[in-house]
């Protein structure tokens, strides 16, 4: 089983508010004291909190139900009931919450320690002391607490990375990530080796770094749900720069790039607003004459010849990416 989980659906219930107290003061020498019932406590909230130490939702995969604690009932001598304990669900940065029944977007978590209330706990009921007046001195009733709220919630993770690798299966994305970072993705010479996104920290000059994500390969028709591409297209939405990887031995490099671009456009047109770089991989297998032909074909598109095997163009590619990130 993969330890990368980017989608979970959970059933959540906030705590109900505690009832107010209708207590009347009765002591040895005060047989007919007035009302002294306290307020009920607030029910617990369901809270989503960002935690930068998480990178997957796997810890929630088998936690199908999340219930907050109910508020306690008010007491005598105007004492308020205790609030119910909140339930905090920690998630990786880049997680969005949606209503599981209506698919309505609720909010997103992008910062470490950021907290958003998913469901508010019910308010506690007022005790009878709150209803006392000069004309109504002995109210014998109190408010009940507000009921709990139940909803199904979908949590979806969109990876936060500076650079997202985009390409057809077997384009060399995993190999590139293994060369420029300490990530160790599964690599083999057949399509769909990568079944989950891999993330690597790429070290740059003067101890600087940026984050690169290897997104599983897209196939033509991915935006319609073919292959496994659709499941991972949402991860590309978070990346600052899209790095398109096209092998140098492709029949038509520009056409392959346009197919990839079209899949992104069909999935989300806003993806075309992101800055794009084309890396022509496996360039160690083509000669200078073919490289000149490719250069003429690419025209004004920003591209870089690279080879993850020989290291050709890797430093130049890092420079290009870093300049894009700074601008």
């Amino acid at each position: 089983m993969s330890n990368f989980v980017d989608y979970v659906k959970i059933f959540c219930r906030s705590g109900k508010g505690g009832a107010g107290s209708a207590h009347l003061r009765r002591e040895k020498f005060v047989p007919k004291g007035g009302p002294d019932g306290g307020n009920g406590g607030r029910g617990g909230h369901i809270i989503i909190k960002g935690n930068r130490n998480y990178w997957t939702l796997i810890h929630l995969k088998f936690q199908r139900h999340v219930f907050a604690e109910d508020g306690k009932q008010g007491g005598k001598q105007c004492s308020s009931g205790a609030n119910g304990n909140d339930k905090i669900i920690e998630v990786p940065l880049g997680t969005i919450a949606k209503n599981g029944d209506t698919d309505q977007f609720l909010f997103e978590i992008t910062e470490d320690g950021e907290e958003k209330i998913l469901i508010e706990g019910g308010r506690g009921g007022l005790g009878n002391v709150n209803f006392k007046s000069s004309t109504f001195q002995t109210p014998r009733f109190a408010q009940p607490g507000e009921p709990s709220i139940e909803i199904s919630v979908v949590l979806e993770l969109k990876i936060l990375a500076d650079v997202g690798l985009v390409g057809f299966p077997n384009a060399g994305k995993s190999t590139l990530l293994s060369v420029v970072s300490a990530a160790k993705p599964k690599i083999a010479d057949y399509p769909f080796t990568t079944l989950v996104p891999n993330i690597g920290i790429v070290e740059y000059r003067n101890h600087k770094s940026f984050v690169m994500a290897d997104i599983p390969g897209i196939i033509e028709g991915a935006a319609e749900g073919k292959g496994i591409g659709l499941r991972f297209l949402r991860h590309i939405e978070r990346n600052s720069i899209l790095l398109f990887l096209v092998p140098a031995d492709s029949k038509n490099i520009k056409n392959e790039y346009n197919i990839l671009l079209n899949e992104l456009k069909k999935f989300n047109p806003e993806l075309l607003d992101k800055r794009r770089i084309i890396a022509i991989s496996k360039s160690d297998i083509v000669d200078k004459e073919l490289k000149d032909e490719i250069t003429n074909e690419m025209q004004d598109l920003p591209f870089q010849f690279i080879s993850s095997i020989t290291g050709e163009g890797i430093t130049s590619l890092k420079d290009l990416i870093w300049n894009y990130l700074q601008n």
Side-chain angles (χ1 to χ4, degrees), residues 94 191 310:
T310 66

Side-chain angles (χ1 to χ4, degrees), residues 24-157:
L24 298 174
R25 184 181 169 205
R26 294 287 184 267
E27 295 177 24
K28 187 172 182 179
F29 300 108
V30 190
K32 292 187 178 180
D36 70 345
N39 300 333
R42 170 183 64 76
H45 299 322
I46 302 284
I47 297 172
I48 306 290
K49 181 178 181 180
N51 186 334
R52 65 183 177 190
N53 296 318
Y54 284 112
W55 69 283
T56 170
L57 296 168
I58 192 169
H59 60 293
L60 299 173
K61 185 172 182 180
F62 302 106
Q63 189 176 352
R64 298 297 187 185
H65 300 91
V66 178
F67 298 155
E69 190 179 37
D70 294 338
K72 302 296 188 289
Q73 185 174 351
K76 59 185 178 180
Q77 296 181 330
C78 298
S79 60
S80 297
N83 292 336
N85 290 326
D86 298 332
K87 193 74 175 181
I88 296 177
I89 304 172
E90 294 194 309
V91 297
L93 309 188
T95 299
I96 65 170
K98 295 193 293 188
N99 186 306
D101 299 319
T102 64
D103 211 36
Q104 175 193 1
F105 173 85
L106 300 175
F107 54 79
E108 59 185 330
I109 298 290
T110 56
E111 295 179 13
D112 185 47
E114 179 182 3
E115 291 187 359
K116 294 276 180 76
I117 296 177
L118 182 64
I119 318 174
E120 290 191 348
R123 289 180 299 182
L126 297 175
N128 61 353
V129 72
N130 293 276
F131 303 104
K132 178 182 175 183
S133 69
S134 59
T135 56
F136 187 32
Q137 295 189 354
T138 317
R140 298 175 182 272
F141 60 86
Q143 271 186 337
E146 287 184 341
S148 57
I149 300 173
E150 299 178 347
I151 63 169
S152 289
V153 178
V154 167
L155 297 177
E156 260 181 24
L157 172 62

Side-chain angles (χ1 to χ4, degrees), residues 297-308:
E297 182 188 338
M298 299 305 285
Q299 296 174 346
D300 299 329
L301 296 171
F303 76 95
Q304 175 69 48
F305 286 109
I306 65 164
S307 169
S308 299

Side-chain angles (χ1 to χ4, degrees), residues 2-289:
S2 168
N3 64 352
F4 181 83
V5 175
D6 58 359
Y7 177 99
V8 292
K9 187 173 184 178
I10 53 179
F11 179 77
C12 298
R13 183 172 71 205
S14 63
K16 65 182 179 183
S21 170
H23 189 267
L24 298 174
R25 184 181 169 205
R26 294 287 184 267
E27 295 177 24
K28 187 172 182 179
F29 300 108
V30 190
K32 292 187 178 180
D36 70 345
N39 300 333
R42 170 183 64 76
H45 299 322
I46 302 284
I47 297 172
I48 306 290
K49 181 178 181 180
N51 186 334
R52 65 183 177 190
N53 296 318
Y54 284 112
W55 69 283
T56 170
L57 296 168
I58 192 169
H59 60 293
L60 299 173
K61 185 172 182 180
F62 302 106
Q63 189 176 352
R64 298 297 187 185
H65 300 91
V66 178
F67 298 155
E69 190 179 37
D70 294 338
K72 302 296 188 289
Q73 185 174 351
K76 59 185 178 180
Q77 296 181 330
C78 298
S79 60
S80 297
N83 292 336
N85 290 326
D86 298 332
K87 193 74 175 181
I88 296 177
I89 304 172
E90 294 194 309
V91 297
L93 309 188
T95 299
I96 65 170
K98 295 193 293 188
N99 186 306
D101 299 319
T102 64
D103 211 36
Q104 175 193 1
F105 173 85
L106 300 175
F107 54 79
E108 59 185 330
I109 298 290
T110 56
E111 295 179 13
D112 185 47
E114 179 182 3
E115 291 187 359
K116 294 276 180 76
I117 296 177
L118 182 64
I119 318 174
E120 290 191 348
R123 289 180 299 182
L126 297 175
N128 61 353
V129 72
N130 293 276
F131 303 104
K132 178 182 175 183
S133 69
S134 59
T135 56
F136 187 32
Q137 295 189 354
T138 317
R140 298 175 182 272
F141 60 86
Q143 271 186 337
E146 287 184 341
S148 57
I149 300 173
E150 299 178 347
I151 63 169
S152 289
V153 178
V154 167
L155 297 177
E156 260 181 24
L157 172 62
K158 295 182 181 181
I159 287 176
L160 288 166
D162 299 308
V163 184
L165 294 172
V166 183
F168 285 111
N170 210 21
K173 301 186 298 299
S174 297
T175 307
L176 174 62
L177 187 68
S178 69
V179 167
V180 299
S181 75
K184 293 179 172 58
K186 182 181 177 184
I187 299 169
D189 192 24
Y190 54 84
F192 296 121
T193 312
T194 304
L195 298 177
V196 300
N198 292 296
I199 301 176
I201 308 294
V202 181
E203 291 188 0
Y204 190 61
R205 306 171 195 269
N206 302 320
H207 307 291
K208 298 185 178 79
S209 64
F210 55 86
V211 180
M212 183 179 284
D214 166 24
I215 311 298
I218 295 171
I219 63 170
E220 194 169 1
E224 282 85 40
K226 291 183 181 177
I228 60 171
L230 177 65
R231 182 180 160 199
F232 299 108
L233 279 171
R234 69 169 172 269
H235 293 299
I236 300 172
E237 291 181 308
R238 295 281 188 194
N239 306 147
S240 304
I241 294 172
L242 301 181
L243 177 60
F244 290 79
L245 233 67
V246 183
D249 57 354
S250 295
K251 291 179 181 177
N252 189 323
I253 290 175
K254 197 169 184 180
N255 184 52
E256 194 164 310
Y257 166 70
N258 286 330
I259 290 172
L260 291 167
L261 208 58
N262 190 46
E263 290 304 316
L264 298 188
K265 181 181 178 182
K266 284 191 284 186
F267 176 72
N268 182 354
E270 291 180 9
L271 290 173
L272 300 192
D273 296 335
K274 294 184 182 291
R275 305 197 70 174
R276 305 189 291 270
I277 300 172
I278 304 167
I280 300 174
S281 62
K282 307 178 184 178
S283 59
D284 54 302
I285 64 175
V286 295
D287 55 22
K288 185 179 183 302
E289 186 179 342

